[in-house]
Amino acid sequence: MKVRIPPSGVVLVLCVISCSVGFLPHVPARARSPSTARIELYSEAQASGRPDAPAPPLELYAAPRAERRGERKTTLEGDSRVVTLEKEDPFSSPQLQLEKSTGMEDMLRELREIQGSANRTYCILGTRHCSYLHQQIIELLSYALVLSGNHVYTSGAAGTNAAAIRGALRANSTELLTVILPQSRSKQTEDCQELIAEVTQVVQMPENDALSLDVASKRCNRRLVKETEHLIAFAYHDSKTVVRTTVEAKEMDKLVTVMYLD
């Protein structure tokens, strides 16, 4: 009499035979760490009520890592949620902590204003000494603003302003780009004249030709701020002209976003 065993049954039979003979490898139990063993030994002694119970291990008193290092989690709520880990300094001033919190909230508010749905007039100004990476970021920002229907104002200079012009031109909406020159077009550098040749709305200030470029730039920046609603500035902390423009913009109750590159 022949007995047919299905494939699944063959596998089951082979597993039973291998276990009985010892073919399957033995998997050792996971070794306990010394700290775990001490905690378990202390728990067993406490449960049995033995008078010779060992002293509580130090592991029971160990604080979590975040508490040992004095770290705390700070959450800022708004349209977006930001979670940061800050190291707590017991000697820090409460006033300084308040200024840090206020600065973060202001920056979040300004970023939400930038990504708002309503079209605005933006002024992009900044330092001439700008790295290639920063120029790419500025160009992308200007491109995105114009592409979403916002009007971008800037001046004619190398670095930040030139990147803003290139980004706005990439959006193929020349009617949403206005360049205000601090002096006449002929007073600008060859690179600047070549760049603004594609711009249809160029405003010149020939009344400043007799002034130095520094004074003319300050007057030009002041006019740019008056024409727009939101100033986005890229500067170093020692960029006196740009930093001064941000101060004047705040005095005019304009929305100001400053990106320090250092």
Side-chain angles (χ1 to χ4, degrees):
M1 179 179 178
K2 297 182 179 180
V3 179
R4 297 187 60 186
I5 301 176
S8 59
V10 175
V11 175
L12 179 61
V13 171
L14 290 177
C15 290
V16 172
I17 295 175
S18 61
C19 290
S20 61
V21 180
F23 288 160
L24 292 180
H26 173 67
V27 180
R30 184 177 180 182
R32 295 180 303 173
S33 62
S35 61
T36 304
R38 286 194 295 270
I39 294 175
E40 292 180 355
L41 180 61
Y42 172 73
S43 301
E44 293 175 359
Q46 289 291 326
S48 60
R50 293 187 328 206
D52 58 341
L58 296 177
E59 287 80 1
L60 291 178
Y61 299 107
R65 184 177 182 182
E67 296 178 3
R68 292 201 310 270
R69 293 190 174 183
E71 295 175 349
R72 59 186 176 87
K73 181 177 293 186
T74 302
T75 304
L76 299 178
E77 295 185 1
D79 293 345
S80 58
R81 193 176 182 87
V82 177
V83 179
T84 58
L85 285 176
E86 299 178 359
K87 190 168 184 179
E88 193 171 23
D89 185 5
F91 302 102
S92 62
S93 171
Q95 181 66 25
L96 181 59
Q97 294 178 1
L98 178 62
E99 290 177 358
K100 288 182 179 179
S101 176
T102 305
M104 178 64 71
E105 293 175 358
D106 290 343
M107 186 179 69
L108 291 175
R109 178 179 61 84
E110 292 167 359
L111 291 176
R112 287 196 295 267
E113 289 289 342
I114 293 178
Q115 64 183 6
S117 58
N119 294 335
R120 290 178 175 269
T121 53
Y122 289 89
C123 174
I124 301 180
L125 294 174
T127 177
R128 294 180 175 87
H129 308 287
C130 205
S131 68
Y132 178 70
L133 176 60
H134 290 144
Q135 291 185 42
Q136 286 185 313
I137 296 174
I138 297 167
E139 185 174 339
L140 181 60
L141 173 63
S142 178
Y143 170 76
L145 288 174
V146 174
L147 200 64
S148 55
N150 298 285
H151 197 124
V152 172
Y153 286 72
T154 188
S155 186
T160 300
N161 300 349
I165 295 174
R166 289 194 300 268
L169 290 175
R170 282 179 52 195
N172 295 324
S173 298
T174 55
E175 71 279 1
L176 295 178
L177 172 63
T178 300
V179 177
I180 300 180
L181 302 176
Q183 296 171 326
S184 301
R185 184 191 292 258
S186 59
K187 302 282 287 186
Q188 308 305 309
T189 62
E190 294 182 2
D191 294 339
C192 179
Q193 294 186 34
E194 181 179 354
L195 181 61
I196 64 178
E198 306 177 32
V199 181
T200 57
Q201 301 185 64
V202 178
V203 179
Q204 305 180 53
M205 300 181 68
E207 64 274 13
N208 297 333
D209 289 349
L211 303 176
S212 64
L213 181 59
D214 181 57
V215 177
S217 298
K218 291 179 181 179
R219 292 189 175 186
C220 178
N221 293 349
R222 193 175 299 112
R223 179 173 178 178
L224 282 165
V225 171
K226 290 180 179 180
E227 295 284 343
T228 56
E229 304 170 81
H230 191 155
L231 170 63
I232 304 176
F234 296 85
Y236 297 96
H237 283 84
D238 58 352
S239 302
K240 297 180 180 179
T241 302
V242 181
V243 173
R244 179 57 188 169
T245 302
T246 61
V247 174
E248 293 179 353
K250 292 178 181 179
E251 293 174 353
M252 299 178 190
D253 293 331
K254 302 289 185 177
L255 190 59
V256 178
T257 303
V258 186
M259 309 291 184
Y260 286 104
L261 307 180
D262 55 353

